[in-house]
Amino acid sequence: MKELGIEARAIAKYVRISPLKVRRVASLLKGKSVKEAEALLGLLSTKAAAIIKNVLKSAVANATNNHNMNPDRLVVKNVIVDMGPSLKRFRPRAMGRAYRIRKPSSHITVILEEV
């Protein structure tokens, strides 16, 4: 007998893309089946879609190998995108000034559950 409320997850940390850009794609996936989500991510031509697709595949592998879940019955429960550390760089500007350039990173978590 399977346990209730069991979920599988995969996390990608320190991904060099802005969390805002990833959240735009992640909001489309919540509540969809894994097959629907993979098809949708395959159609999108953004860097964020390719990254989330890899994390989704990893979560499916974790579900099948670690929790003995059926991959055909998996649903995307949630996609969480958190801010990672930012790389700080400086750019020379007029009159000897320097402007800070922030290069953000993201932590992406995909959580799956079996229906």
Side-chain angles (χ1 to χ4, degrees):
M1 188 168 137
K2 297 213 180 212
E3 296 176 33
L4 293 175
I6 205 163
E7 54 187 36
R9 65 178 57 209
I11 303 171
K13 288 190 160 197
Y14 306 106
V15 180
R16 258 290 291 124
I17 188 170
S18 169
L20 295 173
K21 293 177 183 177
V22 182
R23 284 186 193 123
R24 251 187 278 164
V25 176
S27 64
L28 301 172
L29 303 178
K30 194 171 180 180
K32 294 202 173 17
S33 70
V34 169
K35 288 187 177 183
E36 278 183 67
E38 281 185 351
L40 183 65
L41 290 172
L43 293 174
L44 297 173
S45 62
T46 61
K47 180 180 174 183
I51 293 167
I52 292 177
K53 191 171 185 179
N54 284 340
V55 181
L56 180 65
K57 285 181 181 178
S58 179
V60 171
N62 289 343
T64 55
N65 294 325
N66 299 344
H67 301 295
N68 297 323
M69 294 178 172
N70 184 357
D72 297 328
R73 298 179 60 206
L74 291 174
V75 172
V76 178
K77 182 178 180 182
N78 204 355
V79 180
I80 302 167
V81 182
D82 294 324
M83 181 90 176
S86 292
L87 297 173
K88 291 165 182 85
R89 301 290 180 261
F90 291 94
R91 188 100 184 127
R93 300 302 285 187
M95 292 189 275
R97 294 186 177 98
Y99 277 14
R100 178 181 290 171
I101 295 175
R102 286 179 290 280
K103 299 186 174 206
S105 66
S106 304
H107 301 318
I108 304 166
T109 307
V110 175
I111 303 171
L112 304 176
E113 67 179 352
E114 193 172 25
V115 177

